[in-house]
Amino acid sequence: MERIRAVLIDIDGVLTVSWKALPGTVDAMERLRSTGLRLALVTNNTSRTRAAIAARLSGLGFPVDAGDVLTAPAATAAYLREHCPGARCLLLNSGDVREDLPGVTLVDEHEADADVDVVVLGGAGPEFGYEALNRVFRHLQRGARLVSMHRNLYWRTEGGLDLDTGAFLEGLEKAARTEAEVTGKPAPAFFASALAHLGADASEALMVGDDIESDVLAAQRSGITGVLVRTGKYLPETHRAASGTPDHVLDSFADLPALPGLLASG
């Protein structure tokens, strides 16, 4: 822990649930800021732009601005510009994040017969109905590439766990006999981008998340110290069945400043 200079932090289920701050999380982030640690909020949230997320968190008291927020949509835009330049993309997403997709050509979702080169899946919501999913399936059958901002199975709301994109993605992959290119967590490129943004090496960073696979173990595979918190989507049975062991497990993000050696290393 002596070399930690940067902290990557998930938002949903770690700092907030249904955009309400979890107890002690604002104070914990303020303590981390005061030590000079470099912070990045890395999220698979696809319902809001970076600016909107920062504004919402700032309104709750978190010391953050848009430059601190790294989202799956922004990572997806960079991926599409590099790997699919000029492609006509059909976006299926709950929420308007076009502001974070500069340089990406989006096809009107109601143009059922439009030529589509890439189908892009964001976060699941009411938009993921049969008609929309079947339209996606047909484009995949015609040869469109499948890009997904993440493959999370569910997320935590104040009403409980809600299904997310991964629950639909696996069925689409099997039905269309294709494999999605994932751009958000747990993609190694997403973590590499966050580290580059902070100017830190993997050995100097830790990742705090409530998703043991996509947040914590994925970060550890990239050489980042992983910290699992028992909030948000955390479930004991998922922890027990995980593909690996987190470096650290805490009850809450509020406990992070007390992690031995962390604040001293900043």
Side-chain angles (χ1 to χ4, degrees):
M1 295 296 293
E2 289 132 1
R3 300 178 57 198
I4 296 298
R5 297 169 53 210
V7 183
L8 313 182
I9 308 164
D10 186 30
I11 298 174
D12 291 327
V14 175
L15 300 179
T16 66
V17 168
S18 294
W19 295 106
K20 295 179 181 178
L22 290 169
T25 55
V26 173
D27 288 343
M29 183 173 287
E30 288 176 342
R31 289 189 64 191
L32 296 179
R33 282 282 193 211
S34 70
T35 66
L37 284 167
R38 303 172 189 178
L39 307 182
L41 278 60
V42 290
T43 176
N44 279 346
N45 185 294
T46 57
S47 63
R48 298 171 185 263
T49 63
R50 296 173 65 197
I53 290 172
R56 191 67 181 264
L57 291 174
S58 179
L60 295 174
F62 290 101
V64 301
D65 58 35
D68 298 318
V69 181
L70 305 179
T71 66
T76 301
Y79 181 89
L80 292 171
R81 290 193 301 268
E82 178 180 356
H83 297 280
C84 312
R88 290 170 55 81
C89 302
L90 175 67
L91 173 66
L92 180 58
N93 181 59
S94 184
D96 186 359
V97 292
R98 286 173 290 184
E99 179 183 320
D100 282 350
L101 296 171
V104 177
T105 301
L106 297 177
V107 175
D108 189 325
E109 64 179 307
H110 300 296
E111 296 179 29
D113 297 323
D115 291 331
V116 171
D117 303 307
V118 182
V119 171
V120 181
L121 299 185
E127 297 81 359
F128 277 56
Y130 178 81
E131 182 179 348
L133 289 169
N134 199 48
R135 182 164 61 246
V136 165
F137 176 53
R138 288 179 175 174
H139 284 304
L140 296 177
Q141 287 180 296
R142 298 186 192 111
R145 294 171 69 170
L146 178 59
V147 172
S148 185
M149 296 186 189
H150 61 77
R151 57 186 318 132
N152 296 351
L153 292 171
Y154 49 81
W155 62 297
R156 171 74 66 178
T157 71
E158 59 186 354
L161 295 176
D162 284 359
L163 285 176
D164 210 340
T165 304
F168 305 96
L169 179 60
E170 186 170 345
L172 285 170
E173 288 177 317
K174 289 182 178 179
R177 295 187 176 89
T178 190
E179 185 173 344
E181 302 159 56
V182 180
T183 53
K185 295 176 293 180
F190 188 85
F191 292 106
S193 177
L195 292 173
H197 176 76
L198 294 176
D201 294 331
S203 61
E204 301 173 316
L206 59 80
M207 170 71 208
V208 188
D210 64 329
D211 187 317
I212 190 169
E213 296 289 350
S214 293
D215 291 340
V216 181
L217 298 182
Q220 290 179 192
R221 286 192 291 271
S222 292
I224 301 168
T225 299
V227 180
L228 177 67
V229 292
R230 297 189 183 99
T231 54
K233 68 170 65 174
Y234 174 87
L235 294 172
E237 55 267 35
T238 303
H239 188 175
R240 289 192 295 269
S243 61
T245 303
D247 293 317
H248 303 279
V249 181
L250 301 176
D251 285 336
S252 167
F253 180 80
D255 300 321
L256 186 65
L259 195 65
L262 176 61
L263 296 190
S265 69

